[in-house]
Amino acid sequence: MAALIWTANNNASYGQARATAAESLAAWDKIATAVEHPRCLNCHQVDSPVQGDTRRLHVPLVVRGDDNMGVTGMRCTNCHSQTGNNPTSGVPGAPHWSLAPLEMSWQGLSSGDICRQILDPARNGNRTAEQMVTHFAEDELVGWGWAPGAGREAVPMPRAELVDHVKTWLAGGGECPQ
């Protein structure tokens, strides 16, 4: 049902021709290569972030905390700058660095489950289709995935291409794999 609402919002918002369900599903497959990449999955976790391209346990061990920024004494901002990567230490950073909110955890989810979660305003930050496109296109923390610093693999497609895939996916009804 959420996909139908998104389609109506999407066609009005983007002026894009309606995509077919097959085109929508094909676009999701491309989106999945980004959202299932370590740059995204490392922070879309239940309790603790993971690190690096191998998604190893975060060192030092940190936990979510009530505001997704860690607990007293182990806050994300103790190490991670809100202005960018630290070139001396190699510690990554970006504006509003934190774990994704718990309702946005993708830990252990299939591609189809992540897809359905992104469509669900109760689990996507209460975002409309247009706001989801803006999130992928303009959010500075999301943008860090394309400039992660030395020794980290960037999201495997240009950001503008990902945004185009998101628009096509939504224009075709936000189709999700099983």
Side-chain angles (χ1 to χ4, degrees), residues 19-175:
T20 67
E23 290 168 329
S24 178
L25 193 55
W28 173 259
D29 286 342
K30 302 255 170 70
I31 295 164
T33 66
V35 300
E36 293 178 334
H37 189 273
R39 295 297 74 79
C40 299
L41 281 179
N42 284 357
C43 294
H44 282 265
Q45 296 293 306
V46 174
D47 291 319
S48 298
V50 291
Q51 325 178 261
D53 295 333
T54 60
R55 305 191 60 243
R56 68 188 179 278
L57 190 61
H58 191 284
V59 177
L61 180 62
V62 294
V63 294
R64 172 176 299 284
D66 292 337
D67 64 354
N68 309 310
M69 293 283 297
V71 295
T72 302
M74 294 295 289
R75 305 286 292 162
C76 297
T77 53
N78 288 2
C79 299
H80 297 279
S81 166
Q82 298 292 303
T83 58
N85 298 329
N86 183 318
T88 304
S89 68
V91 174
H96 56 270
W97 191 273
S98 69
L99 279 170
L102 189 56
E103 66 272 10
M104 295 181 199
S105 171
W106 299 336
Q107 183 176 342
L109 297 183
S110 69
S111 173
D113 288 339
I114 294 170
C115 180
R116 286 180 284 282
Q117 182 176 351
I118 290 173
L119 288 171
D120 182 357
R123 299 183 298 151
N124 75 7
N126 201 34
R127 291 179 175 97
T128 64
E130 186 170 320
Q131 290 168 328
M132 283 306 304
V133 172
T134 300
H135 178 68
F136 282 108
E138 299 175 15
D139 185 278
E140 293 174 290
L141 184 53
V142 171
W144 175 84
W146 285 270
R152 292 179 202 90
E153 182 182 299
V155 174
M157 75 177 68
R159 191 174 191 182
E161 182 181 332
L162 174 63
V163 171
D164 287 343
H165 292 310
V166 170
K167 289 177 181 179
T168 299
W169 172 57
L170 294 171
E175 294 293 321

